[in-house]
Amino acid sequence: MGRTRTYQWEDPAVSAEAAGRMAGIDFLRELQAGRLPGAPIGYAIDLRLDEVEPGRVVFSLTPGEEHYNPIGSVHGGIFATLLDSAAGCAVQTTLPQGMAYTSLDLTVKFLRRITAETGTVRAVGTVVNKGRQTALCQAQLVDTKDRLLAHATSSCLLFPVPPPQG
């Protein structure tokens, strides 16, 4: 017998447009409060933005079998998505209105297996160093006992938001 999962999302253009009109930390707080629609990927994997502070964010996810790879554990791409989101959004909290970022690289070290029995996991992202054009950030994925499950580092390119078209 097959299993199904249904989810829906809102127009991502709404949030993308709003991102250029406010400081990064304000934008993330609006997402966290539900006043702006979250990213479609968040709905697809059930990712939650739990904490937003300057230079630090926390995302969480409760793993289920819908996140599994063929060998019965959470797929590494789910780990990477959590870590990339946390690291990049930590950088975003430091950006003024009119600035944006994109990940240049992501290096992930997988340390422990995750299954549905692991329980809720948290990705804690922090800024290591921020310059004018790039930022270095990291994220740690931990379980409810604060055991380290995975670690990532990322470099982000910082750039001005292009002006609205039309």
Side-chain angles (χ1 to χ4, degrees), residues 63-141:
E65 64 181 21
E66 68 274 14
H67 301 120
Y68 278 15
N69 58 29
I71 58 172
S73 60
V74 173
H75 190 282
I78 299 296
F79 283 70
T81 299
L82 281 161
L83 293 165
D84 182 54
S85 297
C89 286
V91 169
Q92 189 169 13
T93 66
T94 69
L95 299 179
Q97 179 181 349
M99 290 296 289
Y101 80 94
T102 189
S103 299
L104 290 172
D105 60 30
L106 180 71
T107 301
V108 179
K109 302 296 183 192
F110 305 104
L111 304 172
R112 292 179 186 264
R113 181 174 186 254
I114 298 176
T115 67
E117 289 75 37
T118 302
T120 300
V121 296
R122 296 178 304 119
V124 181
T126 56
V127 175
V128 175
N129 185 67
K130 181 176 166 275
R132 288 180 293 131
Q133 296 181 326
T134 61
L136 176 64
C137 47
Q138 67 177 351
Q140 295 186 333
L141 190 64

Side-chain angles (χ1 to χ4, degrees), residues 15 18-19 22-38 48-59 89-95:
S15 292
M22 58 184 71
I25 195 164
D26 296 333
F27 173 72
L28 289 170
R29 286 178 173 158
E30 290 294 300
L31 286 174
Q32 180 187 24
R35 292 185 288 267
L36 285 172
R48 297 174 300 280
L49 177 57
D50 296 328
E51 298 176 32
V52 177
E53 1 176 318
R56 183 180 179 276
V57 298
V58 178
F59 282 91
C89 286
V91 169
Q92 189 169 13
T93 66
T94 69
L95 299 179

